[in-house]
Amino acid sequence: MEGQLAAFLPATRQWFQQRYGQPTRAQSLGWPAIQRGDNTLILAPTGSGKTLTAFLWGVDRLLSEGRGARDDEDIASPSATRQPGGRRRHSPLATRLLYISPLKALNNDIERNLRVPLAGIRKVAREMGEELPEISVAVRSGDTPSRDRQAMLRKPPQILITTPESLYILLTSPAGREIFRTVGTVIVDEIHTLAGSKRGVHLALSLERLQQLAEQPIQRIGLSATIRP
């Protein structure tokens, strides 16, 4: 187990071990590929922890980036900065992780797989004598109030939760497109409900548009129930 969790921050590793003990099969097989930056598809039954598999590494990296940025004057502002060799490094205050689900009932999954880990890891870190940064999260769906949509554009969240349809709307908006330039990871959940449908084709096109906007290659992580073939 230590080998499977070794790449995580100590607080993340300890939180996971306290809460779950051993990684599931989906986590054991999924984390090495995700940590390498590979595009990854995880097919596993409900309850196998595949959503947490995708989220935990992204959360861990954001916490690590935010911690490192505290003493780094080069990324003190939300804009990207040039690094040696022409590469761009973005502030952790920009939108870095995008989670897309075709289901409208996002809140339960987000509470269990995102907000609980974020709060838990920061609590463990404090107990270890370290203060990790806050990570901002926003949900954009058809039910999101107009004031919240505008606030999200003014101050983009580090993690954005949305649906395929809301992603398309954001991609057609000049202000919305700007927040996607810093995205480095996209998680697409419930792929089995999209595959082979017009909705899935539409999302596939949106993902290509997203990559065109982004200023770096985007890692894609897909989550699906077990299906055949």
Side-chain angles (χ1 to χ4, degrees), residues 29-31 33-35 37-42 219-223:
L29 297 177
W31 277 331
I34 291 171
Q35 291 167 352
D38 296 345
N39 293 330
T40 306
L41 175 62
I42 299 176
Q219 181 186 25
R220 304 185 188 193
I221 303 173
L223 308 175

Side-chain angles (χ1 to χ4, degrees), residues 6-180:
F8 289 97
L9 291 171
T12 305
R13 186 163 60 245
Q14 185 166 320
W15 171 82
F16 183 88
Q17 291 171 335
Q18 289 175 353
R19 187 173 180 88
Y20 295 105
Q22 297 284 342
T24 65
R25 177 175 168 79
Q27 290 160 351
S28 297
L29 297 177
W31 277 331
I34 291 171
Q35 291 167 352
R36 287 195 303 269
D38 296 345
N39 293 330
T40 306
L41 175 62
I42 299 176
L43 289 84
T46 300
S48 58
K50 56 182 180 290
T51 304
L52 182 61
T53 307
F55 265 132
L56 195 62
W57 181 247
V59 165
D60 186 86
R61 292 304 85 195
L62 284 173
L63 291 170
S64 180
E65 289 174 12
R67 181 183 63 172
R70 285 175 172 168
D71 299 322
D72 190 345
E73 293 180 357
D74 291 337
I75 54 173
S77 68
S79 59
T81 57
R82 288 287 180 184
Q83 300 301 308
R87 297 181 63 186
R88 295 177 73 84
R89 180 169 56 176
H90 296 286
S91 164
L93 300 178
T95 300
R96 301 289 292 127
L97 192 155
L98 178 65
Y99 172 82
I100 305 166
S101 173
L103 304 179
K104 281 191 174 182
L106 295 172
N107 288 338
N108 288 341
D109 264 357
I110 300 312
E111 184 68 24
R112 182 174 67 254
N113 294 299
L114 183 55
R115 298 191 191 279
V116 167
L118 278 171
I121 293 167
R122 295 186 75 246
K123 180 176 181 294
V124 169
R126 282 194 297 271
E127 293 169 352
M128 298 172 70
E130 181 178 11
E131 189 65 35
L132 291 177
E134 292 274 5
I135 301 298
S136 57
V137 180
V139 177
R140 168 65 190 266
S141 68
D143 299 326
T144 303
S146 177
R147 65 180 181 277
D148 293 342
R149 298 181 188 185
Q150 294 303 314
M152 183 194 74
L153 296 177
R154 289 192 300 270
K155 187 177 180 181
Q158 290 156 281
I159 301 176
L160 175 60
I161 315 300
T162 191
T163 63
E165 291 74 22
S166 291
L167 172 63
Y168 170 78
I169 292 171
L170 286 168
L171 287 168
T172 60
S173 158
R177 285 197 295 270
E178 285 301 310
I179 70 176
F180 294 127

